[in-house]
Amino acid sequence: MMSKIWLSPPHLCGEEMKYIQKAFDTNWIAPLGENIDEFENALKKELGTEKEVVCLSSGTAALHLSLILAGVNEGDVVVCQSLTFAASANPIIYQKAIPVFVDSEKDTYNISPIYLEKAIKSSMSKGKKPKAIVVVHLYGMPSKIEEIVAIAKKYDIILIEDGAESLGSSYKGKKCGTFGDFGVLSFNGNKIITTSGGGALICKNKIVKDRAIFLATQAKDEATHYQHSTIGYNYRMSNILAGIGRGQMEVLHQYISLRRSNHQFYKNLFQYIDEVQVLEEPCNNFFSNHWLSVITIDEKQTKFDRESLRIKLLEENIESKPLWKPMHLQPVFQPYLYYGEKISETLFKTGLCLPSGSNLTQTDKLRITKVIVEYFK
């Protein structure tokens, strides 16, 4: 059996150890220290924003804190993109709020501005103005964020950007995660850079940042003894993991370039296969990091389908994955409302994510090419 080609494996560069070692040498291994401060500064510089960054234990933790800071409480409505990973929606339930799911649009696979507004109007007609909107920049592709921001402002609703997959992506030169009231990043093992686990919250100013840190470190009141007037969480990133992040930031642009090169490889590979469409930017306003390269197969034109291709790749020890199963189709979320048509459902049925790691080799690409060419014969 040939070696496994993974979908999106971690890619360490070798610079991480100097920061990890420094944390050990100085005995700063708790969720406090120079690595955290400098990783936050590096992220802020990369995002090109005056907003503040808070490093946390996961992207899910960042999304949960953003809902808390947005004032989302039991019974509140939160509108959420349906085509996404469950971590975008689970924190809504943590707050005992009510998720309302919205379909995608065809160009970016992200939340449809048309159905987003319909969902808001419908909720308001029932006396429940949504408290927040969760938009996801799926697979690194920016959403139609200008339209979404305009809708959020029109109805005075807090906007949360789930940019877990989109570090380095931008719309009209402005980085994803900086358009909304809150932004979320993830550094999970499969992301464009990793800290093993970990994430970050992007927020408006230092006042909000300090509040986020307070909540993320068990909400300890200022007192000589341990006193708590607020429920807190153990969500702060460790200084060790932040050291990994500092090393990874040194190669972020290189890794983005490699992911985009993978995307071009797939565009070239499928250019003469009419039944296959590769997800790409709708126009020059969009810049995707192409965290994952995604294809859809038009089953009406061909005998081929997503699942048989996935199995064929797997037989050659090549990992690929279906697109996220929409939240409104998930058993745990079936009681909740959904607005849209069947775009996200069709994307789930016909879409496949292909190996996209920044450490994908030329040999790997030749293996993938051989399987795909033989399959579509």
Side-chain angles (χ1 to χ4, degrees):
M1 177 70 71
M2 298 185 75
S3 61
K4 182 89 168 186
I5 299 177
W6 297 97
L7 183 70
S8 182
H11 188 186
L12 298 178
C13 65
E15 297 301 314
E16 299 87 359
M17 280 307 301
K18 64 186 178 186
Y19 298 113
I20 296 170
Q21 190 61 53
K22 188 173 183 181
F24 276 103
D25 290 344
T26 57
N27 204 38
W28 284 98
I29 63 170
L32 184 73
E34 179 184 349
N35 283 338
I36 294 177
D37 295 338
E38 291 304 318
F39 188 27
E40 289 176 345
N41 289 337
L43 288 165
K44 182 174 178 177
K45 183 178 179 181
E46 170 62 27
L47 293 167
T49 182
E50 292 302 312
K51 294 186 175 184
E52 296 292 337
V53 177
V54 186
C55 284
L56 299 166
S57 58
S58 68
T60 309
L63 187 49
H64 187 202
L65 284 184
S66 69
L67 292 170
I68 295 169
L69 293 165
V72 173
N73 293 305
E74 184 172 359
D76 287 335
V77 170
V78 177
V79 182
C80 182
Q81 186 166 315
S82 186
L83 187 62
T84 184
F85 182 53
S88 301
N90 284 339
I92 301 170
I93 304 300
Y94 300 167
Q95 289 304 102
K96 298 182 180 180
I98 302 167
V100 170
F101 296 110
V102 172
D103 201 2
S104 296
E105 48 85 21
K106 294 179 181 178
D107 289 349
T108 67
Y109 298 3
N110 292 315
I111 198 166
S112 162
I114 294 170
Y115 282 105
L116 170 61
E117 188 158 24
K118 285 184 177 181
I120 292 168
K121 286 181 176 179
S122 177
S123 186
M124 291 177 67
S125 72
K126 299 169 187 174
K128 296 285 289 187
K129 177 183 170 182
K131 201 69 168 284
I133 299 165
V134 177
V135 57
V136 185
H137 303 295
L138 206 64
Y139 304 120
M141 183 62 67
S143 64
K144 293 183 175 175
I145 192 65
E146 273 191 344
E147 295 178 46
I148 294 160
V149 167
I151 291 168
K153 287 182 177 178
K154 178 179 178 180
Y155 295 99
D156 192 25
I157 300 171
I158 290 171
L159 180 61
I160 299 168
E161 286 179 82
D162 184 344
E165 303 167 5
S166 63
L167 179 60
S169 299
S170 60
Y171 180 80
K172 291 186 177 179
K174 184 176 179 180
K175 295 296 175 71
C176 292
T178 64
F179 288 87
D181 298 279
F182 298 96
V184 172
L185 301 174
S186 172
F187 311 118
N188 195 23
N190 63 353
K191 295 303 188 293
I192 199 154
I193 63 168
T194 184
T195 58
S196 176
L201 172 66
I202 305 162
C203 54
K204 283 184 176 180
N205 52 45
K206 192 173 184 303
I207 294 171
V208 182
K209 176 176 180 174
D210 288 345
R211 182 64 179 175
I213 293 172
F214 170 75
L215 293 170
T217 51
Q218 300 291 16
K220 297 187 289 285
D221 292 341
E222 289 188 16
T224 55
H225 53 279
Y226 291 107
Q227 179 164 302
H228 307 270
S229 304
T230 304
I231 295 295
Y233 306 88
N234 187 16
Y235 279 172
R236 195 70 159 124
M237 180 181 284
S238 85
N239 202 45
I240 297 293
L241 297 191
I244 301 174
R246 289 183 72 185
Q248 291 270 286
M249 286 299 290
E250 296 185 15
V251 291
L252 171 62
H253 292 169
Q254 178 187 340
Y255 286 4
I256 291 170
S257 178
L258 289 166
R259 299 258 178 175
R260 287 177 60 82
S261 177
N262 293 338
H263 168 71
Q264 188 61 49
F265 157 70
Y266 287 116
K267 278 185 68 178
N268 294 340
L269 180 57
F270 289 108
Q271 64 179 325
Y272 300 117
I273 303 175
D274 294 337
E275 301 89 354
V276 174
Q277 294 294 320
V278 181
L279 174 64
E280 55 186 319
E281 290 93 333
C283 68
N284 290 335
N285 290 334
F286 296 78
F287 179 89
S288 173
N289 65 16
H290 290 293
W291 170 61
L292 292 185
S293 290
V294 181
I295 62 168
T296 53
I297 301 175
D298 188 344
E299 297 176 358
K300 295 178 182 177
Q301 294 188 48
T302 177
K303 62 184 178 181
F304 306 109
D305 60 66
R306 173 263 282 173
E307 188 59 14
S308 58
L309 176 56
R310 186 191 69 79
I311 291 169
K312 185 65 176 177
L313 288 163
L314 188 60
E315 288 172 355
E316 299 299 323
N317 214 19
I318 300 170
E319 183 182 32
S320 61
K321 291 279 188 183
L323 274 65
W324 304 122
K325 184 176 182 178
M327 293 300 99
H328 72 277
L329 300 181
Q330 298 286 353
V332 72
F333 292 121
Q334 282 192 351
Y336 300 103
L337 291 174
Y338 165 74
Y339 291 85
E341 299 175 32
K342 292 185 179 292
I343 292 172
S344 59
E345 295 178 32
T346 300
L347 290 170
F348 169 61
K349 182 182 178 184
T350 63
L352 193 67
C353 301
L354 298 171
S356 304
S358 49
N359 44 9
L360 195 68
T361 67
Q362 189 60 34
T363 301
D364 294 336
K365 291 177 181 178
L366 289 172
R367 283 176 60 192
I368 293 166
T369 299
K370 183 174 183 292
V371 173
I372 287 174
V373 168
E374 289 181 355
Y375 175 81
F376 281 100
K377 277 183 180 178

